Amino acid sequence: MSEMIRLRVLPILLAGVLAGAAVPAHAAILLGIGEIGGSADLSGLTGTLENGLPANILGGMGSGFAWAGGNTFIATPDRGPNATPWNNKVDETSSYISRFHTLNMSLQANPQAGALPFQVNAKLASTTLLWSADKLNYGTAGTPNTAGLNNTGGRNYFTGRSDAFDASKGSNNSNNARFDPEGVRVSADGKSVFVSDEYGPYVYQFDRATGERIKAFELPGSLAVKTLGATTAAEDKPVNTSGRVANKGMEGLAITPDGKTLVGIMQAPLLQDNKGQVRIVTVDVATGETKQFAYKLTDGSGVSEIVAINDHEFLVDERDGKGLGDGSAAAVKKGYRIDISGATPIPNDSTKGDLSKYLVSKTPTATVDVVAMLTKPSNEGGAGLTAAQVPAKIEGYAFGQDVTFEGKTLHTLWVANDNDFVSGVAGQNKFYVFGLNDSELGGHFVPQAITAPVPEPESYALMGMGLLGLCVVRRRKQRC
């Protein structure tokens, strides 16, 4: 229920900021930390999943994260809760309906002396279920309970259950019902959302108001596997020798500021490619034309997100799997800046092995180091966490509205985590907001132009709270 959604702003000490300390000229700073807790989303679903958990369970909303204009953001949970054992033949997945959440989030100047500069006000505004007007394949043996999906009124819902596929076709068959949302971005007109997934991988376009799929983009065949299975072991080597690694498909998705090009990035190297070389795929939104490039990992085990700085530079979230939720100490959660403009596209879909000739350029040092910032002592501008308290799955990046603080304009980078629906183990849905100077982003940052964003819910009480002296720089108009 909505009343179960709670906000807790975490005041972390930052000595000297409100006393007049200057913002560093060339350094990202931690502006604030917020979270959304609670156990239920706003889907209106009732009943339970096969594993006994509620169909409206809230969690995992940092798998994908996107700015939608103003104080509105979109968040995607992944395929649903699969930490509760019930059937290992489907990797413990359930008929959790794929969805996205709309969030209202703002920064408010923090009046508390010695605290972080801003409070992060966050509220869950709505939950939208994803469906297709075309019939979907829910599998044969071990079919998900489609009655539980409530496929009525011409709505065929996408599901996280791993056996919802047509075994006679490859993983790029868009009529499969299984869908594992990861990256998400909002269209230029604000009326639809693009979502990438790991099962296909797929990139689908959904109507933002209704959740209906309105377009499926055809991705390069090199990304798909031929033999499908309901478990990781049934899809990886030696069963398949080419295509995406199971559960490591198109983890990140960006959209250029003009809304004309989608840029997806795989989490891990394809089965046929060399270790440490991850593919990037660009998609022309109007024509569907695709190009492929390669990204070389520095110190992370994979990639979880990509967000546009301008039409050719991007910030890539490279990370390990360690930290809160894994029971280990986090080491790598870094944002590297890349430039695809000078890279040579991979010439054809049969290319495999060494992709060194097709690598995009990459800055040698990280632009944002989440672990370093969160483990820095409170009196030095950090969060004072231990490495074991940093979420293992930092997976969502979104640039929000600029802020003016201490006379300087900062670009805000909102960073979210995926808690795998187990808040007791991996913590709540957290939102870390960093401020970056233009120079940190190469001096050529261009905000996304969303020309007609969907109006924010009128019930958003935070809009009337005031900004306590904070000057917010809108995309093309400044107000204080």
Side-chain angles (χ1 to χ4, degrees), residues 206-225:
F206 294 93
D207 183 280
R208 186 171 159 199
T210 66
E212 179 184 4
R213 182 178 66 179
I214 55 180
K215 187 172 184 179
F217 293 92
E218 184 177 351
L219 299 180
S222 58
L223 308 181
V225 295

Side-chain angles (χ1 to χ4, degrees), residues 436-480:
L436 296 94
N437 290 282
D438 199 54
S439 60
E440 282 291 308
L441 299 174
H444 302 288
F445 176 73
V446 179
Q448 184 180 357
I450 299 178
T451 56
V454 174
E456 297 174 30
E458 293 181 1
S459 61
Y460 182 27
L462 295 178
M463 290 293 291
M465 292 178 63
L467 295 174
L468 297 180
L470 166 65
C471 173
V472 177
V473 180
R474 295 286 183 180
R475 288 314 183 186
R476 287 188 171 85
K477 183 177 179 181
Q478 178 172 323
R479 67 173 179 82
C480 296

Side-chain angles (χ1 to χ4, degrees), residues 207-395:
D207 183 280
R208 186 171 159 199
T210 66
E212 179 184 4
R213 182 178 66 179
I214 55 180
K215 187 172 184 179
F217 293 92
E218 184 177 351
L219 299 180
S222 58
L223 308 181
V225 295
K226 294 181 179 180
T227 302
L228 278 62
T231 65
T232 298
E235 290 194 345
D236 282 347
K237 287 183 177 181
V239 178
N240 288 295
T241 57
S242 65
R244 53 100 179 116
V245 174
N247 300 326
K248 295 183 179 180
M250 191 165 286
E251 185 80 11
L253 187 67
I255 189 168
T256 52
D258 59 10
K260 295 181 178 180
T261 306
L262 295 169
V263 183
I265 191 166
M266 304 297 285
Q267 180 177 348
L270 302 182
L271 293 169
Q272 69 268 34
D273 291 342
N274 284 5
K275 183 178 180 180
Q277 297 177 347
V278 176
R279 295 205 185 201
I280 293 173
V281 181
T282 65
V283 182
D284 186 294
V285 173
T287 67
E289 179 184 0
T290 63
K291 293 180 182 179
Q292 294 186 69
F293 302 93
Y295 170 92
K296 186 173 178 58
L297 295 169
T298 297
D299 45 9
S301 58
V303 169
S304 282
E305 184 64 293
I306 183 170
V307 65
I309 296 172
N310 50 53
D311 65 357
H312 60 96
E313 291 182 293
F314 303 85
L315 197 61
V316 172
D317 171 26
E318 189 173 322
R319 68 170 179 87
D320 58 14
K322 300 180 181 299
L324 184 63
D326 179 64
S328 58
V332 181
K333 321 285 179 191
K334 297 179 179 179
Y336 287 97
R337 185 160 50 90
I338 66 169
D339 189 341
I340 68 173
S341 61
T344 301
I346 296 173
N348 58 65
D349 220 22
S350 63
T351 304
K352 61 182 180 180
D354 186 12
L355 304 178
S356 298
K357 293 189 295 185
Y358 315 111
L359 293 173
V360 299
S361 64
K362 176 182 180 181
T363 53
T365 57
T367 299
V368 177
D369 188 333
V370 174
V371 175
M373 290 296 296
L374 296 185
T375 57
K376 187 180 294 185
S378 302
N379 59 4
E380 295 179 14
L385 302 180
T386 67
Q389 293 173 323
V390 175
K393 292 187 173 183
I394 295 294
E395 296 191 357

Side-chain angles (χ1 to χ4, degrees), residues 48-50 86 93-97 138-140 142-151 157 159 161 163-164:
T48 58
L49 303 169
E50 298 92 319
W86 79 276
T93 58
S94 66
S95 51
Y96 174 85
I97 298 177
Y138 293 91
T140 51
T143 296
N145 182 2
T146 53
L149 295 176
N150 194 29
N151 286 340
Y157 290 103
T159 174
R161 186 152 157 170
D163 60 349

Side-chain angles (χ1 to χ4, degrees), residues 40-52:
D41 64 24
L42 300 180
S43 62
L45 295 172
T46 58
T48 58
L49 303 169
E50 298 92 319
N51 55 18

